[in-house]
Amino acid sequence: MSQKKRIYLSSPHMSGHEQKYINEAFEQNWIAPLGPNVDAFERTLADYCGVDHAAALSSGTAALHLALIMLGVKEGDEVFVSTFTFSATVNPIVYQGATPVFIDSENETWNMDPALLEKALEERKSSKRMPKAIIVVHLYGMPAKMDEIMAVADGYGIPVIEDAAEALGSRYNGRPVASFGKMAILSFNGNKIITTSGGGALLSDDEELIKEARFLATQARDPAPHYQHSRIGYNYRLSNVLAGIGRGQMEVIDERVTKRRENYFYYRENLGRYEGISFPDEPDDKFFSNRWLTTILVDPVKTGVSREDIYEYLEKENIESRPLWKPMHLQPVFSGYPRYLNGTSEYLFKYGLCLPSGSNMDEFTRERVINIIKGVLKNK
Ligand SMILES: *Cc1c(COP(=O)(O)O)cnc(C)c1O
């Protein structure tokens, strides 16, 4: 085994200002949930994403769960969702006893294919059983084709929830992602572009929805001095201490995006010339990806090496890499659910690899990664 320092896919990167906000919380004894850091963090998030309101929550998963609850998703309902994603996108649908219907990707952005979405809705129309919601994911930071998706969804009057957990700082048509759907969610888990150690947010232009989300997230207490409850509540709020980390992180979000994009272009410049190694470029200038993770596709015939070869060589050098997300329709836990497939996500899963992409990677670290990959490609 190599003694070299481990290089991670995406590790937390503090700005230095987080401590200031945490100290404020301690000085004012705002350790309990809610407080000035939560309020300020929510304001910053909403402004940055170009929406009117935000609720800071304990995770992105919690935000999705509340979004579905507020749209009335319940047992027997269907929710259409990208199959090419992380399981947290889908789990809340099942929490509600509803049925996820998996929609495959198109091969330009790797996100939900608007044509397949339309086909699936078309079929539902004839059976008179429309989905309650559509969850569109902006995977690895790449915006989905929102013009097309919103046109289809609006045509059928189905609300869209954007899963922008990986895409804070990405834009489409010059507009931040998370500002297109009826609601959107963000995640501040430890590996995301900014982190609060753990946390998430729900975003919307609809003030009533965000108020309702805050209400449900704090145990759904009716406005009465005694504890009275007319609805089932959740304990999903973000603590004021963690929101302090988020405030410090939001001060440097644009620097983080710039750095992640630099990583992408660095990899592309150094590996793009190898036949059989390809990169998911932005399809045109409508798309601006935060490049949360740089990903490559490895054609084993053209390169003479497999994705596994590269993965294993990197691991030997104590460098973390990871196959692209295993599509949800291939997951044992979701095996029985309906799906609309075109082969794209299965292809991506078979040949794709995520490379170390942290905004805290220096020149030397990136070179270490590149040299290993070049070595693998040359030896074959
Ligand atoms: C991280 C992530 C989530 C879940 O966010 P948590 O804050 O970890 O609950 C949801 N969807 C996608 C695509 C993610 O990458």
Side-chain angles (χ1 to χ4, degrees):
M1 267 315 274
S2 165
Q3 301 302 312
K4 284 183 190 136
K5 197 165 165 242
R6 183 143 178 93
I7 301 176
Y8 292 97
L9 218 50
S10 177
S11 65
H13 184 187
M14 294 296 108
S15 75
H17 294 175
E18 292 80 7
Q19 200 70 56
K20 177 181 85 186
Y21 296 111
I22 294 175
N23 287 346
E24 276 175 26
F26 273 71
E27 280 157 16
Q28 298 158 15
N29 206 29
W30 278 110
I31 310 301
L34 309 188
N37 281 337
V38 170
D39 297 342
F41 187 43
E42 288 180 341
R43 199 60 262 147
T44 309
L45 289 171
D47 291 345
Y48 186 78
C49 294
V51 298
D52 290 338
H53 305 281
L57 300 167
S58 54
S59 70
T61 311
L64 273 169
H65 191 198
L66 292 181
L68 294 173
I69 291 167
M70 293 188 296
L71 292 175
V73 172
K74 55 185 186 319
E75 202 172 337
D77 288 333
E78 285 187 343
V79 175
F80 285 13
V81 60
S82 311
T83 191
F84 192 46
T85 186
F86 172 53
S87 64
T89 311
V90 180
N91 286 333
I93 302 171
V94 180
Y95 299 165
Q96 286 305 99
T99 302
V101 177
F102 298 118
I103 312 285
D104 215 329
S105 304
E106 33 80 13
N107 61 19
E108 284 191 307
T109 71
W110 300 359
N111 292 310
M112 186 182 279
D113 181 346
L116 262 191
L117 172 67
E118 183 155 34
K119 179 174 173 238
L121 286 168
E122 195 61 40
E123 280 190 26
R124 289 302 183 280
K125 195 175 148 196
S126 43
S127 70
K128 295 205 165 37
R129 186 169 177 244
M130 299 310 282
K132 274 274 174 71
I134 300 166
I135 305 177
V136 178
V137 186
H138 307 292
L139 209 64
Y140 301 117
M142 181 67 83
K145 295 188 173 178
M146 291 311 287
D147 280 345
E148 290 87 341
I149 287 169
M150 292 309 296
V152 173
D154 288 346
Y156 285 89
I158 316 282
V160 169
I161 303 167
E162 293 177 78
D163 179 342
E166 302 178 0
L168 182 63
S170 299
R171 294 195 294 272
Y172 177 80
N173 268 342
R175 243 172 82 186
V177 302
S179 68
F180 292 86
K182 189 176 179 66
M183 288 179 262
I185 73 104
L186 299 171
S187 167
F188 314 116
N189 201 353
N191 59 355
K192 300 289 156 70
I193 192 159
I194 67 159
T195 183
T196 58
S197 154
L202 184 73
L203 276 56
S204 180
D205 283 331
D206 187 333
E207 186 174 12
E208 289 312 309
L209 282 175
I210 296 302
K211 279 187 177 161
E212 189 182 347
R214 293 187 186 127
F215 166 77
L216 292 171
T218 46
Q219 307 289 19
R221 275 170 54 191
D222 291 343
H226 52 279
Y227 277 50
Q228 175 174 298
H229 306 273
S230 313
R231 293 179 69 182
I232 292 295
Y234 301 84
N235 186 0
Y236 278 175
R237 261 314 219 166
L238 186 68
S239 98
N240 193 55
V241 177
L242 298 185
I245 303 178
R247 284 179 80 182
Q249 291 272 280
M250 279 306 283
E251 289 180 8
V252 293
I253 176 67
D254 285 331
E255 289 166 42
R256 298 296 185 258
V257 172
T258 301
K259 192 64 208 302
R260 298 242 176 190
R261 285 178 62 85
E262 271 173 29
N263 288 338
Y264 176 81
F265 289 116
Y266 176 84
Y267 281 121
R268 195 181 192 298
E269 196 181 300
N270 281 279
L271 297 175
R273 68 180 90 109
Y274 288 89
E275 214 204 337
I277 299 286
S278 60
F279 287 80
D281 279 331
E282 289 149 345
D284 58 52
D285 54 17
K286 266 184 174 176
F287 297 83
F288 179 90
S289 169
N290 71 1
R291 295 297 179 191
W292 172 57
L293 294 184
T294 290
T295 56
I296 55 172
L297 291 177
V298 183
D299 181 327
V301 176
K302 286 186 184 152
T303 57
V305 303
S306 68
R307 184 261 310 272
E308 281 70 23
D309 291 330
I310 298 178
Y311 172 87
E312 278 162 24
Y313 274 89
L314 288 171
E315 200 50 54
K316 263 189 218 140
E317 293 292 324
N318 209 16
I319 298 169
E320 185 184 22
S321 67
R322 190 195 292 151
L324 300 191
W325 297 123
K326 180 172 186 172
M328 293 302 112
H329 70 269
L330 297 178
Q331 299 289 352
V333 72
F334 299 133
S335 64
Y337 294 119
R339 66 246 357 246
Y340 287 83
L341 305 178
N342 58 19
T344 304
S345 61
E346 291 187 20
Y347 179 89
L348 296 171
F349 172 57
K350 193 164 173 198
Y351 297 114
L353 190 68
C354 302
L355 300 178
S357 305
S359 51
N360 47 8
M361 278 204 307
D362 57 18
E363 201 65 22
F364 170 79
T365 307
R366 286 197 309 208
E367 250 178 60
R368 233 181 91 193
V369 181
I370 283 288
N371 288 337
I372 302 301
I373 300 176
K374 280 183 176 169
V376 185
L377 291 168
K378 265 190 209 116
N379 285 341
K380 299 283 167 148

